[in-house]
Amino acid sequence: MPEDNAEVLAERQWEAGHHAAALSLYVEAWAGPDDEVADRILDLIEDWGDTDAALEILSALAASGDARAHEALADLLVQLDRPEEAVSALQEADRQGRDVILWIAGILADEIEDRDRAEKYYRRALAENHPDALNDYGAFLHDGGERLDEAADLLRQAVEQGDTMAAGNLGRLLLDQDKPAEAIGWLRQALEAGHRSVLVPLGVAENDTDESEAAGRHLREALDEELPGAHFAYALHLADTGALQEAVHHYEAALDQDGETNAYLNLALLHEDLGQREQADRRYQDAIEHEDEEAFLPYADFLAQQDRTAEIGALLTPATALGLDPEDLAQLRVLADGGQPADA
């Protein structure tokens, strides 16, 4: 049966309430992890509400030698937070000739966080000249925060081979290396290719290089598209351009919508600049409770300016437990003793 006919029949079976039959037909239509059929299978199972029955059907199809069923089973197992079982299913699909190497690597890297095992699969994909291997491996190394020169080299090779997503990843890497001027060109290249996810890092890079108008435009577009990190980045831009009260609003949104706990310290500093001591004090305390190492010294300085030196000593215990930089810890002790910080 042609794959497109199987998908059409699956839709009809689903509409008729025959979930088991629809699932088997969707597996027959499965082309790979990027196929929209993958999403339809998960939607079907959610609508069905019987995960155990779905697992039983997919396991039986996989046991019969259907490599596509191994992939469908893996996708469901990932959703059920059973990544090791998902890897096992994909390894069997791999043995049957399915193109799942980078999928295995991604699960090992992201869900299982076993970077050593993940790297073996990334290297294998690279050796087999998988078209996405250069980008994915480069992004993997970047996420690890080490071997960044190697990551950049891989991403540049990917761009040279026409991978526009790699241009965006290279831009992000350069931005993380505090090279916004170098990052901008790559990020704009990715945006021109249609990768809208780069709007936030592009706006940040433009803001860092004083391209304020472009930064504001791109970050507002990111807000309209509800991209992760847009509120925090736009708040930084607003604070830099003097719109402090509006920046407060977007930092609050970054907390509420994105869970961006770094916003606590930024809010404290903004409230302090706005003369809102009570709000500043509360946000400093929030930052300390969320173990923001950067918050201890400015909060201690804030307390010292209000003749609340006695409260600074209470910061020493959490700062020490957190492993605060020795120089910062020493300055904190000076402030606790009623002195002035070294840069005062």
PDB file of all heavy atoms in Angstrom, residues 317-340:
ATOM      1  N   THR A 317      27.292  33.198  54.999  1.00  0.00           N
ATOM      2  CA  THR A 317      27.044  31.753  55.023  1.00  0.00           C
ATOM      3  C   THR A 317      26.592  31.222  53.661  1.00  0.00           C
ATOM      4  O   THR A 317      27.202  30.281  53.128  1.00  0.00           O
ATOM      5  CB  THR A 317      26.020  31.396  56.108  1.00  0.00           C
ATOM      6  OG1 THR A 317      26.555  31.764  57.392  1.00  0.00           O
ATOM      7  CG2 THR A 317      25.738  29.899  56.100  1.00  0.00           C
ATOM      8  N   PRO A 318      25.530  31.790  53.050  1.00  0.00           N
ATOM      9  CA  PRO A 318      25.149  31.273  51.726  1.00  0.00           C
ATOM     10  C   PRO A 318      26.204  31.520  50.659  1.00  0.00           C
ATOM     11  O   PRO A 318      26.369  30.708  49.744  1.00  0.00           O
ATOM     12  CB  PRO A 318      23.846  32.022  51.413  1.00  0.00           C
ATOM     13  CG  PRO A 318      23.866  33.229  52.276  1.00  0.00           C
ATOM     14  CD  PRO A 318      24.590  32.826  53.514  1.00  0.00           C
ATOM     15  N   ALA A 319      26.944  32.637  50.770  1.00  0.00           N
ATOM     16  CA  ALA A 319      27.989  32.928  49.787  1.00  0.00           C
ATOM     17  C   ALA A 319      29.104  31.895  49.864  1.00  0.00           C
ATOM     18  O   ALA A 319      29.617  31.415  48.840  1.00  0.00           O
ATOM     19  CB  ALA A 319      28.553  34.324  50.014  1.00  0.00           C
ATOM     20  N   THR A 320      29.479  31.522  51.081  1.00  0.00           N
ATOM     21  CA  THR A 320      30.522  30.514  51.266  1.00  0.00           C
ATOM     22  C   THR A 320      30.046  29.151  50.779  1.00  0.00           C
ATOM     23  O   THR A 320      30.781  28.425  50.100  1.00  0.00           O
ATOM     24  CB  THR A 320      30.924  30.434  52.746  1.00  0.00           C
ATOM     25  OG1 THR A 320      31.370  31.726  53.196  1.00  0.00           O
ATOM     26  CG2 THR A 320      32.046  29.422  52.940  1.00  0.00           C
ATOM     27  N   ALA A 321      28.811  28.797  51.120  1.00  0.00           N
ATOM     28  CA  ALA A 321      28.267  27.505  50.700  1.00  0.00           C
ATOM     29  C   ALA A 321      28.168  27.407  49.187  1.00  0.00           C
ATOM     30  O   ALA A 321      28.359  26.331  48.607  1.00  0.00           O
ATOM     31  CB  ALA A 321      26.888  27.301  51.322  1.00  0.00           C
ATOM     32  N   LEU A 322      27.918  28.538  48.548  1.00  0.00           N
ATOM     33  CA  LEU A 322      27.786  28.560  47.094  1.00  0.00           C
ATOM     34  C   LEU A 322      29.134  28.511  46.393  1.00  0.00           C
ATOM     35  O   LEU A 322      29.224  28.226  45.199  1.00  0.00           O
ATOM     36  CB  LEU A 322      27.013  29.815  46.684  1.00  0.00           C
ATOM     37  CG  LEU A 322      26.474  29.891  45.260  1.00  0.00           C
ATOM     38  CD1 LEU A 322      25.548  28.724  44.962  1.00  0.00           C
ATOM     39  CD2 LEU A 322      25.735  31.210  45.056  1.00  0.00           C
ATOM     40  N   GLY A 323      30.213  28.753  47.151  1.00  0.00           N
ATOM     41  CA  GLY A 323      31.542  28.754  46.549  1.00  0.00           C
ATOM     42  C   GLY A 323      31.845  30.038  45.813  1.00  0.00           C
ATOM     43  O   GLY A 323      32.444  30.025  44.726  1.00  0.00           O
ATOM     44  N   LEU A 324      31.420  31.164  46.400  1.00  0.00           N
ATOM     45  CA  LEU A 324      31.661  32.462  45.782  1.00  0.00           C
ATOM     46  C   LEU A 324      33.148  32.673  45.554  1.00  0.00           C
ATOM     47  O   LEU A 324      33.988  32.194  46.319  1.00  0.00           O
ATOM     48  CB  LEU A 324      31.105  33.569  46.686  1.00  0.00           C
ATOM     49  CG  LEU A 324      30.846  34.931  46.039  1.00  0.00           C
ATOM     50  CD1 LEU A 324      29.708  34.835  45.036  1.00  0.00           C
ATOM     51  CD2 LEU A 324      30.501  35.968  47.114  1.00  0.00           C
ATOM     52  N   ASP A 325      33.495  33.372  44.480  1.00  0.00           N
ATOM     53  CA  ASP A 325      34.889  33.658  44.159  1.00  0.00           C
ATOM     54  C   ASP A 325      35.595  34.216  45.405  1.00  0.00           C
ATOM     55  O   ASP A 325      35.053  35.084  46.100  1.00  0.00           O
ATOM     56  CB  ASP A 325      34.946  34.685  43.028  1.00  0.00           C
ATOM     57  CG  ASP A 325      36.367  35.037  42.642  1.00  0.00           C
ATOM     58  OD1 ASP A 325      36.918  34.337  41.771  1.00  0.00           O
ATOM     59  OD2 ASP A 325      36.910  36.000  43.213  1.00  0.00           O
ATOM     60  N   PRO A 326      36.806  33.730  45.711  1.00  0.00           N
ATOM     61  CA  PRO A 326      37.505  34.162  46.933  1.00  0.00           C
ATOM     62  C   PRO A 326      37.665  35.676  47.045  1.00  0.00           C
ATOM     63  O   PRO A 326      37.524  36.239  48.136  1.00  0.00           O
ATOM     64  CB  PRO A 326      38.865  33.464  46.824  1.00  0.00           C
ATOM     65  CG  PRO A 326      38.594  32.243  46.001  1.00  0.00           C
ATOM     66  CD  PRO A 326      37.541  32.653  45.022  1.00  0.00           C
ATOM     67  N   GLU A 327      37.939  36.354  45.937  1.00  0.00           N
ATOM     68  CA  GLU A 327      38.088  37.809  45.991  1.00  0.00           C
ATOM     69  C   GLU A 327      36.761  38.482  46.323  1.00  0.00           C
ATOM     70  O   GLU A 327      36.717  39.441  47.105  1.00  0.00           O
ATOM     71  CB  GLU A 327      38.630  38.338  44.667  1.00  0.00           C
ATOM     72  CG  GLU A 327      40.080  37.945  44.394  1.00  0.00           C
ATOM     73  CD  GLU A 327      40.617  38.607  43.138  1.00  0.00           C
ATOM     74  OE1 GLU A 327      39.913  39.475  42.572  1.00  0.00           O
ATOM     75  OE2 GLU A 327      41.739  38.262  42.722  1.00  0.00           O
ATOM     76  N   ASP A 328      35.682  37.974  45.738  1.00  0.00           N
ATOM     77  CA  ASP A 328      34.369  38.533  46.046  1.00  0.00           C
ATOM     78  C   ASP A 328      33.988  38.253  47.498  1.00  0.00           C
ATOM     79  O   ASP A 328      33.397  39.106  48.174  1.00  0.00           O
ATOM     80  CB  ASP A 328      33.309  37.934  45.116  1.00  0.00           C
ATOM     81  CG  ASP A 328      33.450  38.415  43.684  1.00  0.00           C
ATOM     82  OD1 ASP A 328      34.182  39.394  43.456  1.00  0.00           O
ATOM     83  OD2 ASP A 328      32.843  37.795  42.785  1.00  0.00           O
ATOM     84  N   LEU A 329      34.339  37.065  47.966  1.00  0.00           N
ATOM     85  CA  LEU A 329      34.045  36.716  49.353  1.00  0.00           C
ATOM     86  C   LEU A 329      34.817  37.618  50.311  1.00  0.00           C
ATOM     87  O   LEU A 329      34.282  38.061  51.338  1.00  0.00           O
ATOM     88  CB  LEU A 329      34.398  35.246  49.599  1.00  0.00           C
ATOM     89  CG  LEU A 329      33.779  34.568  50.827  1.00  0.00           C
ATOM     90  CD1 LEU A 329      32.261  34.646  50.793  1.00  0.00           C
ATOM     91  CD2 LEU A 329      34.227  33.104  50.895  1.00  0.00           C
ATOM     92  N   ALA A 330      36.056  37.918  49.957  1.00  0.00           N
ATOM     93  CA  ALA A 330      36.866  38.806  50.793  1.00  0.00           C
ATOM     94  C   ALA A 330      36.247  40.207  50.844  1.00  0.00           C
ATOM     95  O   ALA A 330      36.193  40.841  51.906  1.00  0.00           O
ATOM     96  CB  ALA A 330      38.295  38.872  50.257  1.00  0.00           C
ATOM     97  N   GLN A 331      35.776  40.709  49.701  1.00  0.00           N
ATOM     98  CA  GLN A 331      35.133  42.028  49.682  1.00  0.00           C
ATOM     99  C   GLN A 331      33.845  42.013  50.493  1.00  0.00           C
ATOM    100  O   GLN A 331      33.503  43.008  51.155  1.00  0.00           O
ATOM    101  CB  GLN A 331      34.844  42.456  48.242  1.00  0.00           C
ATOM    102  CG  GLN A 331      36.091  42.839  47.450  1.00  0.00           C
ATOM    103  CD  GLN A 331      35.748  43.679  46.233  1.00  0.00           C
ATOM    104  OE1 GLN A 331      35.007  44.660  46.337  1.00  0.00           O
ATOM    105  NE2 GLN A 331      36.260  43.290  45.085  1.00  0.00           N
ATOM    106  N   LEU A 332      33.143  40.887  50.444  1.00  0.00           N
ATOM    107  CA  LEU A 332      31.914  40.767  51.221  1.00  0.00           C
ATOM    108  C   LEU A 332      32.220  40.863  52.714  1.00  0.00           C
ATOM    109  O   LEU A 332      31.487  41.514  53.475  1.00  0.00           O
ATOM    110  CB  LEU A 332      31.230  39.439  50.882  1.00  0.00           C
ATOM    111  CG  LEU A 332      29.776  39.255  51.327  1.00  0.00           C
ATOM    112  CD1 LEU A 332      28.881  40.319  50.685  1.00  0.00           C
ATOM    113  CD2 LEU A 332      29.287  37.865  50.941  1.00  0.00           C
ATOM    114  N   ARG A 333      33.311  40.258  53.132  1.00  0.00           N
ATOM    115  CA  ARG A 333      33.709  40.327  54.552  1.00  0.00           C
ATOM    116  C   ARG A 333      34.073  41.751  54.945  1.00  0.00           C
ATOM    117  O   ARG A 333      33.761  42.205  56.051  1.00  0.00           O
ATOM    118  CB  ARG A 333      34.875  39.377  54.812  1.00  0.00           C
ATOM    119  CG  ARG A 333      34.503  37.900  54.742  1.00  0.00           C
ATOM    120  CD  ARG A 333      35.592  37.020  55.359  1.00  0.00           C
ATOM    121  NE  ARG A 333      35.217  35.615  55.306  1.00  0.00           N
ATOM    122  CZ  ARG A 333      35.626  34.761  54.368  1.00  0.00           C
ATOM    123  NH1 ARG A 333      36.436  35.182  53.400  1.00  0.00           N
ATOM    124  NH2 ARG A 333      35.229  33.504  54.380  1.00  0.00           N
ATOM    125  N   VAL A 334      34.738  42.471  54.047  1.00  0.00           N
ATOM    126  CA  VAL A 334      35.093  43.867  54.325  1.00  0.00           C
ATOM    127  C   VAL A 334      33.827  44.686  54.553  1.00  0.00           C
ATOM    128  O   VAL A 334      33.741  45.480  55.503  1.00  0.00           O
ATOM    129  CB  VAL A 334      35.924  44.453  53.156  1.00  0.00           C
ATOM    130  CG1 VAL A 334      36.067  45.969  53.312  1.00  0.00           C
ATOM    131  CG2 VAL A 334      37.292  43.797  53.084  1.00  0.00           C
ATOM    132  N   LEU A 335      32.850  44.500  53.693  1.00  0.00           N
ATOM    133  CA  LEU A 335      31.592  45.233  53.837  1.00  0.00           C
ATOM    134  C   LEU A 335      30.866  44.843  55.129  1.00  0.00           C
ATOM    135  O   LEU A 335      30.270  45.688  55.806  1.00  0.00           O
ATOM    136  CB  LEU A 335      30.697  44.968  52.633  1.00  0.00           C
ATOM    137  CG  LEU A 335      31.097  45.666  51.326  1.00  0.00           C
ATOM    138  CD1 LEU A 335      30.349  45.073  50.145  1.00  0.00           C
ATOM    139  CD2 LEU A 335      30.828  47.166  51.427  1.00  0.00           C
ATOM    140  N   ALA A 336      30.931  43.561  55.467  1.00  0.00           N
ATOM    141  CA  ALA A 336      30.283  43.099  56.696  1.00  0.00           C
ATOM    142  C   ALA A 336      30.930  43.707  57.929  1.00  0.00           C
ATOM    143  O   ALA A 336      30.262  43.904  58.954  1.00  0.00           O
ATOM    144  CB  ALA A 336      30.337  41.574  56.765  1.00  0.00           C
ATOM    145  N   ASP A 337      32.209  44.023  57.809  1.00  0.00           N
ATOM    146  CA  ASP A 337      32.934  44.631  58.929  1.00  0.00           C
ATOM    147  C   ASP A 337      32.820  46.144  58.942  1.00  0.00           C
ATOM    148  O   ASP A 337      33.475  46.832  59.744  1.00  0.00           O
ATOM    149  CB  ASP A 337      34.414  44.236  58.870  1.00  0.00           C
ATOM    150  CG  ASP A 337      34.614  42.760  59.190  1.00  0.00           C
ATOM    151  OD1 ASP A 337      33.738  42.178  59.851  1.00  0.00           O
ATOM    152  OD2 ASP A 337      35.643  42.186  58.741  1.00  0.00           O
ATOM    153  N   GLY A 338      32.015  46.674  58.005  1.00  0.00           N
ATOM    154  CA  GLY A 338      31.800  48.123  57.982  1.00  0.00           C
ATOM    155  C   GLY A 338      32.758  48.884  57.123  1.00  0.00           C
ATOM    156  O   GLY A 338      32.760  50.125  57.120  1.00  0.00           O
ATOM    157  N   GLY A 339      33.594  48.188  56.329  1.00  0.00           N
ATOM    158  CA  GLY A 339      34.541  48.855  55.457  1.00  0.00           C
ATOM    159  C   GLY A 339      33.922  49.143  54.098  1.00  0.00           C
ATOM    160  O   GLY A 339      32.719  49.043  53.896  1.00  0.00           O
ATOM    161  N   GLN A 340      34.790  49.518  53.152  1.00  0.00           N
ATOM    162  CA  GLN A 340      34.371  49.825  51.793  1.00  0.00           C
ATOM    163  C   GLN A 340      34.952  48.802  50.831  1.00  0.00           C
ATOM    164  O   GLN A 340      36.051  48.296  51.053  1.00  0.00           O
ATOM    165  CB  GLN A 340      34.838  51.231  51.388  1.00  0.00           C
ATOM    166  CG  GLN A 340      34.200  52.350  52.200  1.00  0.00           C
ATOM    167  CD  GLN A 340      32.706  52.442  51.948  1.00  0.00           C
ATOM    168  OE1 GLN A 340      32.252  52.309  50.812  1.00  0.00           O
ATOM    169  NE2 GLN A 340      31.937  52.643  53.014  1.00  0.00           N
TER     170      GLN A 340
END
